[in-house]
Each structure stands twice: as structure tokens, then as C-alpha cells.
Amino acid sequence: MNLILFGPPGAGKGTQAKYLVKKLNNFQISTGDMLREEIQKNSEIGKKIIKDMNDGKFVNDEIVNTLIENVIFDPQKNNRLIFDGYPRSLSQAKNLEQLLTKSNQKIDFIFFLNVNKDTIIKRIEQRKTIEKRSDDELDTIIKRYDTYMKTTKPVLDFYSNNPNFYEIDGSSKIEEITAKIDNFLTV
Ligand code: AMP
């Protein structure tokens, strides 16, 4: 089973992805984590990535799509993918469809965790005290949210007619969101 967790930064995608990894024995495919790993390598690409991330911008599609392609064609992960933070733009959504078709896979569930800006700001400021991420500064958070809203609206439109698309109130408690996801998975 392949799933997409979709929603603004701080919506709780990572938390739910970790739950689903255990429940389904799948793999969490977090493009944010993969990009942070590239930064750790201190490569030229890593330097470009950190600049975009700290500016609250999206990292170039070419870089992200290459990372995703490697994962999709990894036989160990075949049909065991939980996408967290990808796709984030219409071109990424189209790229994902193509790669899945090419590898004889499909998306079984798309969960949209919908959360408003005020809740996101509160949550990320809290996360900042725990994770100390360089892109969790207030002005970067606001930029990240605004970038998300601008570029992901077409992605929402792309998926919202899909029969496997489910919108969930992401401002609810973690356990309530998990229960809703569980419920959809058994339908
Ligand atoms: P995240 O950990 O998902 O909140 O992502 C942190 C940052 O990594 C984002 O603000 C972007 O700069 C970058 N990033 C993560 N996923 C993507 C993606 N699918 N496309 C472009 N940039 C991304």
C-alpha cells in the first residue's frame, strides 16, 4: 500500500507517518529528511539546498525528483511508501504519477491534514525548542506556509477528485487524527 500525507509544514505529517510506518511496516519517505541528509554531506548540492530551505523556499524540483525516483525504484520499498512532504507542487504530483505508473504502482490513500496558519505558527515555535531546525525561525515559518499555500493549491485541485482523497482536520489532537486515518484505512 502506498500513501501520501499532504498538508502545510507543522500539520503533523511526520508524526502520522511514523505511526503508519509501524502499523503497515512501510517506509517514511520524507523529502525534508532526505534533503537534510544531503546537507550533512556538505556537498555543493547541500549548500544550495540549505540556502533555499533557510529562505523558506522550495528546493529545486530536479533535486527532489531525483531523490524520489531512487526511492520509487527501490525494490525493497515497492508498494510500501508513505510520502511525507512530497509532492508539494503540481509538477511534482505529475512526476510522481509518471514514476508510479512506470514502476507498476499507485497511490492507495491521500490524507490531507488541513491546518490554519495560527495553529502552524504555534506548533512550529514549539517544535523549534525541541528539534532546533534552522528553518523553524518565525519569519521562515511564515514564508514556508505562504509558499506552501501558493504552490500546493493546484496539487489539492489535482487530487481532490481522486476517490482515495480524504481531508482531515489537522488541528485535532494527534490521537484523534490517527483514529480518523485508521478508520479510513479500514473502509
Ligand atoms: P519539511 O521537513 O517537509 O518541512 O521540509 C523542509 C524544507 O525542505 C521545506 O521548507 C523545503 O525547503 C524543502 N523541501 C522538503 N520537501 C520538498 C519538496 N517536495 N519540494 C521542494 N522542497 C522541499
Side-chain angles (χ1 to χ4, degrees):
M1 181 189 291
N2 294 322
L3 295 126
I4 296 176
L5 290 164
F6 186 68
K13 302 184 293 294
T15 305
Q16 299 302 329
K18 286 185 178 65
Y19 166 77
L20 289 166
V21 162
K22 279 203 192 134
K23 180 185 166 88
L24 303 171
N25 198 20
N26 276 25
F27 293 88
Q28 178 184 5
I29 312 303
S30 158
T31 40
D33 284 350
M34 291 158 99
L35 292 166
R36 281 183 284 276
E37 274 167 31
E38 282 300 317
I39 292 172
Q40 293 302 322
K41 292 183 196 161
N42 228 342
S43 59
E44 280 310 306
I45 287 188
K47 286 180 199 154
K48 161 116 191 57
I49 294 172
I50 197 165
K51 187 172 182 326
D52 285 340
M53 264 196 187
N54 286 346
D55 285 347
K57 288 188 198 149
F58 280 0
V59 171
N60 175 300
D61 267 357
E62 209 182 310
I63 297 175
V64 181
N65 287 343
T66 306
L67 293 173
I68 286 292
E69 184 165 354
N70 294 338
V71 162
I72 289 180
F73 287 96
D74 179 344
Q76 202 201 351
K77 299 192 173 126
N78 193 52
N79 272 318
R80 295 166 71 192
L81 304 166
I82 299 174
F83 291 99
D84 159 14
Y86 186 94
R88 262 171 152 102
S89 65
L90 188 57
S91 71
Q92 291 183 2
K94 289 185 175 165
N95 181 63
L96 179 61
E97 290 290 298
Q98 275 180 5
L99 293 173
L100 288 173
T101 307
K102 238 176 158 181
S103 60
N104 275 323
Q105 300 183 73
K106 64 178 173 58
I107 294 294
D108 299 287
F109 290 92
I110 304 151
F111 295 119
F112 171 40
L113 308 183
N114 197 2
V115 193
N116 67 35
K117 192 169 176 171
D118 288 347
T119 308
I120 295 293
I121 290 173
K122 271 190 216 133
R123 278 192 190 166
I124 298 194
E125 290 214 298
Q126 206 180 0
R127 177 169 82 185
K128 189 177 134 190
T129 60
I130 304 164
E131 293 185 20
K132 306 207 179 342
R133 273 174 52 169
S134 59
D135 59 346
D136 278 348
E137 294 302 328
L138 184 60
D139 56 340
T140 311
I141 298 168
I142 293 171
K143 266 195 226 145
R144 285 166 63 201
Y145 185 84
D146 292 343
T147 308
Y148 169 84
M149 291 312 273
K150 201 168 69 201
T151 53
T152 47
K153 174 77 176 65
V155 187
L156 266 188
D157 295 342
F158 182 78
Y159 285 126
S160 56
N161 290 329
N162 187 312
N164 302 323
F165 177 90
Y166 299 93
E167 180 168 343
I168 297 172
D169 178 3
S171 58
S172 328
K173 288 196 185 122
I174 293 174
E175 312 79 66
E176 286 168 6
I177 299 173
T178 305
K180 280 186 191 149
I181 291 179
D182 273 341
N183 195 34
F184 287 132
L185 289 175
T186 53
V187 170

